[in-house]
Amino acid sequence: MTQVLDTKFSPVDIEARKKLDLRAGDTVRVWQKIKEGDKTRSQAFEGLVLARKHGTEAGATFTVRKVSDGIGIERIFPLYSPVIEKIEILRRGGRVRRSKLYYIREKAQSEARRKMRQALYTAPKEETPAE
């Protein structure tokens, strides 16, 4: 006869992650443990939540997008990953009407193109010395 022990094997507080009300449109900071050689350090990834998939089940994931040096970076994090130390919700998504915000990728591209055009047309003119 085997006994079932009521112990947790996971280093992740599953109940706290389940209760985390993470939605598309929120701005979050995800602290991740990174192992380099024999040392571990924490690194933050801050950005906009584009999507949350698979609800609160074991394979739940969320996609975070940030723009670094004019380049869009997206990362998909497993919700219950032991690599994630903590998830901080910095700002709630105000008026979001969709559950998946993938259209922001194209919106950011067109905005970048517009800024490039403005920079081209408003190039500084050379000044002529006054006589």
Side-chain angles (χ1 to χ4, degrees):
M1 212 174 190
T2 59
Q3 267 188 335
V4 178
L5 299 173
D6 192 32
T7 58
K8 277 196 336 184
F9 294 106
S10 175
V12 178
D13 187 5
I14 294 172
E15 290 304 315
R17 295 263 174 101
K18 263 187 189 178
K19 290 178 185 172
L20 190 66
D21 188 27
L22 195 65
R23 290 179 291 206
D26 294 347
T27 303
V28 295
R29 184 179 294 139
V30 181
W31 289 93
Q32 211 176 5
K33 285 184 266 184
I34 294 180
K35 190 171 184 181
E36 293 174 337
D38 55 341
K39 295 179 183 177
T40 57
R41 65 179 177 89
S42 295
Q43 181 176 329
F45 189 87
E46 184 177 325
L48 179 76
V49 177
L50 292 185
R52 167 115 186 236
K53 290 188 174 184
H54 310 293
T56 57
E57 63 186 37
T61 60
F62 60 101
T63 306
V64 181
R65 177 185 172 86
K66 77 172 182 178
V67 177
S68 177
D69 295 327
I71 299 169
I73 300 167
E74 287 185 17
R75 245 174 164 179
I76 300 170
F77 293 102
L79 186 62
Y80 302 111
S81 172
V83 175
I84 296 175
E85 282 183 4
K86 63 182 173 181
I87 302 168
E88 300 172 359
I89 300 175
L90 303 176
R91 205 175 84 219
R92 286 274 171 213
R95 215 175 121 213
V96 177
R97 295 183 172 199
R98 290 170 177 76
S99 61
K100 307 287 187 281
L101 302 179
Y102 298 133
Y103 69 91
I104 287 180
R105 295 169 181 158
E106 283 78 34
K107 192 175 178 182
Q109 286 174 354
S110 61
E111 191 175 310
R113 273 193 224 105
R114 187 174 48 84
K115 283 183 181 176
M116 290 282 280
R117 273 194 221 110
Q118 283 178 349
L120 272 172
Y121 293 128
T122 58
K125 295 178 183 177
E126 293 182 24
E127 293 182 23
T128 56
E131 291 183 47

